[in-house]
Every structure is written in C-alpha cells, then in structure tokens.
Amino acid sequence: MDDLFAGIAIFLIIEGLAYALAPRFLVRMARLLPHIPEDQLRLVGMTAVTFGAAILWLLRG
C-alpha cells in the first residue's frame, strides 16, 4: 500500500511541476488535443503505459 501512495505522490509532484513551470505550454497542448486523432492518442497512451510498466518491472523485479 505504501508503494501505491508513493506512486500517487510522485504523479502529483510531476503534474504540479508541469503546471508550475510551463503553464502556457500546457494551455497550448490542451488546445491542440481535440485535433489529434483518437488512434494516435491511444497509441501514445499505451506506449507510455508499456514503458512505465517496463521501468517499474526493472526497478522492482
């Protein structure tokens, strides 16, 4: 359970840093998202999940 909370904490830190350091960039990206095809967004999301799981497996395995 500690690992779950640590993961959530790290996620919140990274998200907070993104908003604190590059708010204009995030606004521009939010405007562009509706124009990106769903298939491309899904591929990027699944790629991120795969890399994240692989890194976690390497660190914890």
Side-chain angles (χ1 to χ4, degrees):
M1 192 60 120
D2 289 340
D3 288 341
L4 174 64
F5 290 130
I8 292 170
I10 291 170
F11 170 77
L12 291 173
I13 290 168
I14 292 170
E15 284 290 313
L17 281 173
Y19 282 101
L21 298 176
R24 285 190 186 138
F25 175 75
L26 288 173
V27 169
R28 281 186 294 182
M29 288 303 296
R31 287 185 187 134
L32 290 176
L33 275 175
H35 305 292
I36 299 173
E38 281 186 30
D39 292 342
Q40 189 174 0
L41 290 173
R42 191 170 285 119
L43 178 63
V44 169
M46 289 305 297
T47 302
V49 168
T50 302
F51 280 126
I55 291 170
L56 186 60
W57 181 72
L58 288 172
L59 291 174
R60 297 290 181 167

